[in-house]
Amino acid sequence: MSKNKKVKGTKIIVDSLKDEKVEYIFGIPGGSIIPLYDEYYDSDIKHILMRHEQAAAHAADGYARATGKTGVCTTTSGPGATNLVTGIATAYMDSVPLVALTGQVETISIGNDAFQEADITGITLSITKHNYLVKDVDELQRIIKEAFYIASTGRPGPVLIDLPKDVQTGETEYDPNITVNLRGYKPTYKGHPVQIKKAADMILNAERAIIIAGGGVTISGANKELINLSELLNIPVATTIMGKGTFPEDHPLSLGILGMHGTTYANYSVSDSDLILAIGTRFSDRVTGDASRFAPDAKIIHIDIDPAEIGKNVRVDLPIVGDSKNILNSLLSILKTKISNENKGRYKKWIEKVSTWKMEHPLHFNEKTDTLKPQYVIKRLYEITKGNAIIVTEVGQHQMWTAQYYLCKNPRQFISSGGLGTMGYGFPASIGVKIALPNSLVFDVAGDGSFQMNCQELATAVQNNIDVKVAIINNGYLGMVRQWQELFYNRRYSNTRLGYLPDFVKFAESYNAKGIRVTKKSEVDDAIQEAIRYDGPVLIDFRVEEEENVFPMVPAGKTLTNIIEVDKR
Amino acid sequence: MRHVLAALVENKPGTLARILNLFRRRGFNIESAAVGETDDPGISRLTIVVNGDNNVVEQVIKQLNKLIEVIKISNLSQDRMVGRELAMIKVAVDKESLSEIIGLSEIFRTKIIDVSTRSLIIEITGDEDKVNAFVDIMRRFGIKEMARTGLVALARGQKATEIERED
């Protein structure tokens, strides 16, 4: 074997990133990562300088969710690394492929409580799919290769690589033919044919079938197959928040989202069904309500790439482990051979029942009032953008109203922290989304509380001319908590009144961004249109009714039919 | 119910921490865990005894399988495995009790591995019931300290927890 020239660890890192086709990195430099940043200085990989490491993780996460590619962020050791924790946990809960590169003190100092030393591999043990502390520069290239492979395959997730300073500056050979061989990691992609056949029989013998589509459908890219399956036999589809957009929400067979703030008709249909085909969803408590009384009459077919999700939260009658797209394709071809005139219309009666629920229990808010309702803002945003914008959200009431009123047609169109529920996610994530999709209109729908958790990133947006629009649904409260306090804690608003808010228009202007204030219903359309027309970041401060609630609502721990539908006040 | 799990894992720093962290994080209870190298120095074998109903143990196995360093894991069914544990027991002795302790030790086929004027260290190997029975008897004489390895186990017959070779 010919001897290659020795190169520095940092060169190995950058060349490996190029091998992985990384185009953007989000991060902030610091003492322990200066060698790598010195390498970035000459590289054509574009680095976006963020203002907080948490935001760097969220931006990389947004970039990943918008594209399906692996997002990359870089920070220094100690506080730089610990600031990533919320971002990594957010990505972990929503199965987002992310590689985090963190600086670390020199290997000789590890364990001695050196300046800016934190045990980040220990800290992130429970919130990463895998993590590495590189102790030897000779292992560096293999580890980076493995990290990208693990992050992006099977059920995706974040992988952290901790890089001691002396590993970055150490020298070794670059191997252009390196391959990954992990004997303990072999994801299953093909579903078991016998199980798929059984699923086809169950679908052709049920009377009230429903599909629940989750985030796995987006990750797998199985949305076309999902539509084909639904249309083949007229099976209604409800999605989770993470699955929003995998099935067009303006489709007659769409039931929108299910769960705590899902549509009444989705929750009724799931609860009354005799067969649930759950695809790429983990039956979170926000989806199932009381899991022990979830869909009592239904047999459950569960398709998921992660075998550990099967039977974790709800009983499953037929598990199929594998990739949704593969499995749905096999299922479709079996169903097509078995379908006959007599079973083709088998769900006709069921669809009629579902349609009645849809008619009797539509999503509802008071549209006639002159006060500015938050739902009205979302509805107009949907109508003015013709449902074509990429919508990113923060977490709270505004997130749920957006999930309810901004109908999505495509997967990767609704980008939101579903599992961890991270306030402050949306704005930095929208920066990553806009970088990934420069020709799309990107709106971050925010709450006044959430926005303030990462509002410093306005500097990043302006500096790089990242044209994101932020619609702040400003009600002066930590609204979702206030709603729970109103409904379940006798209106004792403990620490949910924000009380003091910045002037968001002046705030925007102080960063050289555009700020617009809306206090009246009549100003909504103009503000949205003006924001779209403006070339550059815009904040719209929508001063909405303060104590509006999100309904329908299934209180936590209750069954899905236990729905508060309208405001009783 | 008690389950004995055998896992082949990468013999690397941090592997055990990852596995134990998973038990802590998911709230699974470990009764005992014993780890050692296999014939392949790159692979360690971990024997874990867990208590829980079938659903819990199924989750334990699935979650362990998700760890990159866990290569293979099997649930050894109780009636088809051989399990052994080693314990060292330091028992107080005096002139009156000495011969009785030695006699009992012989019945249990133990070894006396350290002798001093006021104590003995007795090594016993066997399945858990045997070790427990002996410990109970020794309590009467006064156990000064004791160390147990936890169970190690292999499946009976041809069946083995091994890595499938790829062609």
Side-chain angles (χ1 to χ4, degrees):
Chain A
M1 220 179 93
S2 70
K3 265 268 186 193
N4 290 319
K5 207 177 95 209
K6 285 206 169 186
V7 292
K8 266 199 255 170
T10 51
K11 176 99 169 80
I12 299 273
I13 297 170
V14 168
D15 286 349
S16 300
L17 294 177
K18 281 188 199 154
D19 288 347
E20 301 297 335
K21 307 204 163 44
V22 173
E23 288 178 84
Y24 287 95
I25 293 171
F26 304 87
I28 304 179
S32 296
I33 198 80
I34 292 177
L36 181 57
Y37 270 82
D38 193 58
E39 199 72 45
Y40 285 168
Y41 197 65
D42 295 323
S43 163
D44 46 15
I45 299 179
K46 292 169 212 81
H47 181 276
I48 306 293
L49 174 65
M50 307 298 289
R51 297 302 189 268
H52 190 292
E53 288 88 353
Q54 182 193 347
H58 291 327
D61 169 312
Y63 180 89
R65 292 192 207 216
T67 57
K69 291 195 264 184
T70 301
V72 181
C73 56
T74 313
T75 72
T76 191
S77 61
T82 56
N83 273 347
L84 284 180
V85 166
T86 303
I88 293 172
T90 304
Y92 185 65
M93 285 288 261
D94 290 345
S95 308
V96 177
L98 189 77
V99 169
L101 304 168
T102 52
Q104 181 55 281
V105 300
E106 300 207 354
T107 45
I108 197 168
S109 305
I110 290 175
N112 294 348
D113 303 316
F115 178 66
Q116 291 196 330
E117 182 191 353
D119 170 24
I120 197 62
T121 45
I123 290 166
T124 57
L125 218 49
S126 308
I127 52 166
T128 48
K129 189 169 169 187
H130 196 55
N131 64 23
Y132 295 93
L133 168 60
V134 189
K135 285 186 173 159
D136 182 347
V137 69
D138 289 338
E139 294 191 325
L140 184 57
Q141 199 192 345
R142 173 187 58 80
I143 286 174
I144 297 172
K145 189 94 194 161
E146 284 179 10
F148 275 87
Y149 178 70
I150 291 168
S152 60
T153 53
R155 178 180 180 176
V159 179
L160 180 137
I161 310 175
D162 205 17
L163 300 161
K165 203 168 182 179
D166 54 317
V167 169
Q168 298 171 49
T169 53
E171 293 195 344
T172 190
E173 286 166 26
Y174 176 79
D175 174 4
N177 303 314
I178 198 161
T179 53
V180 172
N181 180 23
L182 291 162
R183 52 189 172 181
Y185 178 69
K186 307 265 187 249
T188 307
Y189 290 98
K190 262 194 83 185
H192 198 289
V194 174
Q195 300 291 88
I196 298 173
K197 242 185 221 127
K198 278 189 198 158
D201 289 338
M202 285 166 82
I203 291 168
L204 290 174
N205 283 299
E207 275 161 18
R208 303 183 307 279
I210 184 167
I211 295 171
I212 302 177
V217 176
T218 301
I219 295 167
S220 166
N223 46 304
K224 291 236 162 62
E225 289 75 8
L226 173 65
I227 295 167
N228 290 344
L229 177 65
S230 162
E231 287 178 348
L232 184 68
L233 282 152
N234 281 309
I235 307 174
V237 179
T239 75
T240 67
I241 295 266
M242 291 306 299
K244 189 172 160 72
T246 55
F247 192 77
E249 290 183 292
D250 52 2
H251 192 290
L253 288 166
S254 169
L255 301 178
I257 52 170
L258 82 160
M260 183 175 276
H261 293 294
T263 62
T264 300
Y265 40 93
N267 288 336
Y268 277 0
S269 302
V270 167
S271 301
D272 196 51
S273 67
D274 68 347
L275 179 69
I276 292 172
L277 180 59
I279 312 167
T281 175
R282 61 189 172 85
F283 292 102
S284 111
D285 53 286
R286 287 295 190 265
V287 163
T288 61
D290 178 355
S292 67
R293 286 183 289 167
F294 173 72
D297 301 332
K299 290 222 176 322
I300 299 177
I301 303 171
H302 191 184
I303 299 174
D304 206 288
I305 200 158
D306 181 357
E309 288 305 341
I310 286 164
K312 188 181 82 177
N313 293 341
V314 297
R315 70 200 151 45
V316 169
D317 298 278
L318 184 78
I320 312 177
V321 174
D323 174 66
S324 305
K325 187 174 179 137
N326 271 335
I327 292 167
L328 290 189
N329 268 324
S330 314
L331 184 60
L332 275 165
S333 55
I334 296 171
L335 283 172
K336 278 177 190 157
T337 62
K338 289 196 171 183
I339 211 158
S340 60
N341 284 338
E342 101 194 67
N343 56 28
K344 189 152 180 138
R346 66 175 306 107
Y347 293 125
K348 196 161 170 280
K349 261 185 149 166
W350 168 233
I351 290 292
E352 280 165 15
K353 198 170 179 186
V354 170
S355 305
T356 312
W357 282 325
K358 251 179 143 169
M359 254 158 24
E360 287 172 357
H361 303 275
L363 283 172
H364 167 80
F365 68 96
N366 184 357
E367 292 194 62
K368 294 195 185 93
T369 172
D370 285 334
T371 57
L372 183 54
K373 292 279 184 184
Q375 300 95 323
Y376 177 79
V377 175
I378 311 293
K379 190 165 173 252
R380 288 307 295 152
L381 181 64
Y382 169 68
E383 287 162 355
I384 291 168
T385 59
K386 300 188 175 67
N388 288 322
I390 309 288
I391 300 296
V392 188
T393 78
E394 309 283 343
V395 168
Q397 285 186 312
H398 68 275
Q399 177 191 30
M400 293 302 121
W401 285 315
T402 310
Q404 290 176 338
Y405 290 98
Y406 200 102
L407 306 187
C408 291
K409 288 177 261 201
N410 295 303
R412 305 193 185 283
Q413 193 189 348
F414 183 81
I415 291 171
S416 191
S417 169
L420 198 67
T422 307
M423 291 173 69
Y425 167 80
F427 184 44
S430 68
I431 289 175
V433 171
K434 182 67 188 182
I435 284 174
L437 308 169
N439 299 321
S440 298
L441 176 61
V442 178
F443 258 95
D444 172 36
V445 181
D448 45 319
S450 286
F451 179 71
Q452 288 187 84
M453 289 196 181
N454 265 318
C455 56
Q456 78 284 344
E457 297 307 321
L458 195 50
T460 311
V462 172
Q463 182 183 9
N464 298 285
N465 195 25
I466 299 164
D467 188 2
V468 289
K469 319 297 182 190
V470 183
I472 302 175
I473 307 299
N474 183 351
N475 57 14
Y477 278 103
L478 297 168
M480 187 58 94
V481 183
R482 186 211 55 76
Q483 175 172 339
W484 284 46
Q485 287 171 336
E486 179 191 329
L487 296 175
F488 313 119
Y489 290 85
N490 209 14
R491 296 195 64 148
R492 287 156 56 85
Y493 292 168
S494 176
N495 289 279
T496 40
R497 179 76 187 152
L498 286 167
Y500 180 82
L501 287 170
D503 178 329
F504 285 117
V505 172
K506 281 188 187 157
F507 178 85
E509 286 164 1
S510 76
Y511 282 94
N512 249 334
K514 188 172 181 61
I516 306 171
R517 175 159 301 115
V518 174
T519 54
K520 292 201 235 16
K521 224 174 156 178
S522 58
E523 297 164 350
V524 170
D525 287 20
D526 286 348
I528 293 171
Q529 270 147 356
E530 197 182 343
I532 295 170
R533 270 197 310 271
Y534 183 78
D535 181 19
V538 181
L539 286 190
I540 316 175
D541 179 19
F542 290 103
R543 296 286 182 88
V544 298
E545 183 170 321
E546 292 190 339
E547 295 191 37
E548 183 70 16
N549 287 330
V550 184
F551 291 120
M553 177 180 192
V554 178
K558 295 279 176 39
T559 56
L560 287 187
T561 47
N562 209 315
I563 302 171
I564 309 173
E565 277 202 78
V566 285
D567 211 331
K568 298 247 165 63
R569 277 183 314 210
Chain B
M1 209 191 134
R2 215 163 145 270
H3 293 256
V4 179
L5 309 180
L8 296 180
V9 304
E10 298 285 353
N11 185 5
K12 279 183 190 165
T15 299
L16 207 54
R18 232 177 257 284
I19 291 168
L20 295 180
N21 179 61
L22 190 146
F23 276 84
R24 180 197 57 77
R25 146 86 176 92
R26 302 259 171 205
F28 302 138
N29 280 322
I30 303 182
E31 204 169 278
S32 75
V35 66
E37 253 183 36
T38 61
D39 55 318
D40 176 347
I43 294 174
S44 299
R45 184 180 174 108
L46 180 66
T47 312
I48 314 165
V49 180
V50 284
N51 249 317
D53 61 26
N54 288 340
N55 281 342
V56 169
V57 174
E58 194 184 315
Q59 262 298 303
V60 170
I61 293 174
K62 284 172 166 177
Q63 294 292 348
L64 281 173
N65 252 324
K66 283 176 73 168
L67 296 178
I68 309 289
E69 285 104 337
V70 173
I71 306 164
K72 173 94 187 187
I73 181 159
S74 22
N75 190 355
L76 304 176
S77 64
Q78 299 280 358
D79 50 337
R80 308 280 335 241
M81 61 156 227
V82 208
R84 288 292 180 268
E85 191 183 4
L86 183 144
M88 291 197 287
I89 305 157
K90 187 181 286 178
V91 193
V93 286
D94 52 30
K95 279 182 193 140
E96 287 93 70
S97 62
L98 183 64
S99 60
E100 194 182 350
I101 291 174
I102 292 174
L104 287 164
S105 296
E106 274 167 9
I107 295 170
F108 277 86
R109 283 186 237 156
T110 66
K111 281 187 210 156
I112 294 169
I113 53 176
D114 183 71
V115 181
S116 73
T117 50
R118 297 163 81 175
S119 67
L120 296 177
I121 298 179
I122 306 168
E123 172 198 317
I124 177 167
T125 309
D127 61 23
E128 259 194 321
D129 289 346
K130 179 182 163 184
V131 176
N132 287 340
F134 186 69
V135 169
D136 276 346
I137 289 168
M138 286 301 117
R139 261 186 236 286
R140 182 151 65 86
F141 303 100
I143 296 174
K144 293 186 155 193
E145 63 175 331
M146 178 169 77
R148 291 175 78 151
T149 57
L151 194 75
V152 293
L154 293 177
R156 285 182 189 277
Q158 289 287 94
K159 215 177 155 218
T161 302
E162 58 190 346
I163 299 163
E164 290 113 39
R165 309 259 170 236
E166 277 175 60
D167 301 315

